[in-house]
């Protein structure tokens, strides 16, 4: 199409989706954009922050991000959970390995992480950084149960119900969404 050459010449372009791949149009995104992207009207600006902090730059292989609802955010990296302030300062909250899913409880007191290779749901207390296992035996499998009686098969994403009573987790290799009760660790 006529826009194909323009898209190839700039690395700061996104693709919009039409009926087919051939009909996609390039839209600029770095300086701000307003374009229909995959059927939704999106208005915004893409910004990259230079991060620095007491623990240095974040590790490579950033995995997931969740807002702290105070202008900063939590980020999971290859082997750690980081807090990034609104000013871009980072600090390590806890160590974790391979957690591609993260969500903050509605009251902001706890973070829940989907531990991909550990086959567990981890709970991190925001105030102390204490990490506990809410659910999952650590063994790959597919079993409902309470706490460590439950088994997961490579967890990926996680979200929380509005009242904070339940987590919904993408069991990647199990091809299903699992429900985890926050109060008991019961998995269904």
């Amino acid at each position: 199409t006529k826009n194909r050459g323009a898209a190839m010449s700039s690395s700061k372009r996104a693709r919009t989706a039409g009926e087919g791949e051939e009909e996609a149009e390039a839209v600029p995104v770095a300086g701000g954009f307003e374009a229909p992207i995959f059927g939704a009207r999106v208005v915004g600006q893409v910004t990259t922050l230079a991060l620095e902090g007491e623990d240095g730059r974040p590790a490579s292989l950033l995995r997931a991000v969740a807002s702290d609802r105070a202008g900063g955010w939590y980020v999971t990296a290859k082997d750690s959970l980081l807090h990034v302030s609104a000013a871009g300062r980072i600090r390590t909250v806890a160590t974790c390995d391979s957690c591609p899913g993260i969500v903050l409880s509605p009251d902001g007191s706890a973070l829940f992480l989907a531990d991909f290779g550990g086959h567990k749901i981890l709970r991190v207390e925001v105030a102390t950084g204490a990490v506990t296992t809410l659910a999952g035996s650590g063994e790959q499998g597919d079993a409902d149960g309470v706490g460590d009686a439950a088994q997961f098969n490579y967890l990926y994403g996680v979200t929380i119900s509005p009242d904070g009573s339940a987590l919904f987790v993408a069991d990647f290799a199990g091809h299903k969404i699992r429900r985890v009760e926050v109060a008991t660790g019961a998995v269904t």
Side-chain angles (χ1 to χ4, degrees), residues 135-154:
S137 67
E139 297 294 321
Q140 180 182 358
D142 182 10
D144 290 345
V146 177
D148 63 2
Q151 290 184 320
F152 298 102
N153 199 356
Y154 296 107

Side-chain angles (χ1 to χ4, degrees), residues 155-181:
L155 296 172
Y156 211 79
V158 61
T159 193
I160 195 164
S161 63
D163 67 0
S165 66
L167 301 172
F168 299 91
V169 186
D171 195 335
F172 179 73
H175 308 287
K176 59 178 94 172
I177 302 296
R178 309 285 293 277
R179 180 184 175 113
V180 181
E181 297 299 322

Side-chain angles (χ1 to χ4, degrees), residues 7-167:
M8 297 295 199
S9 67
S10 174
S11 63
K12 296 180 180 181
R13 299 206 175 252
R15 301 298 249 163
T16 60
E19 289 293 319
E21 186 76 24
E22 300 81 28
E23 297 176 19
E25 292 184 36
V27 294
V29 295
F33 64 89
E34 180 174 343
I37 297 179
F38 301 110
R41 189 117 189 115
V42 179
V43 178
Q45 183 168 339
V46 177
T47 304
T48 302
L49 295 176
L51 302 176
E52 61 179 58
E54 55 201 54
D55 296 325
R57 296 187 60 79
S60 62
L61 301 175
L62 297 177
R63 306 235 192 273
V65 63
S67 170
D68 71 359
R69 300 188 196 111
W73 58 92
Y74 293 97
V75 178
T76 58
K78 179 181 177 186
D79 58 3
S80 56
L81 170 63
L82 308 171
H83 180 261
V84 183
S85 72
R89 303 268 312 155
I90 61 171
R91 69 177 171 81
T92 301
V93 175
T95 57
C96 61
D97 188 33
S98 187
C99 294
I102 181 174
V103 68
L104 183 65
S105 64
D107 67 4
S109 66
L111 290 154
F112 298 94
L113 286 69
D115 186 344
F116 183 78
H119 312 288
K120 299 178 190 177
I121 297 295
L122 304 176
R123 178 184 177 118
V124 179
E125 299 303 322
V126 170
T128 64
V131 179
T132 56
T133 299
L134 177 63
S137 67
E139 297 294 321
Q140 180 182 358
D142 182 10
D144 290 345
V146 177
D148 63 2
Q151 290 184 320
F152 298 102
N153 199 356
Y154 296 107
L155 296 172
Y156 211 79
V158 61
T159 193
I160 195 164
S161 63
D163 67 0
S165 66
L167 301 172

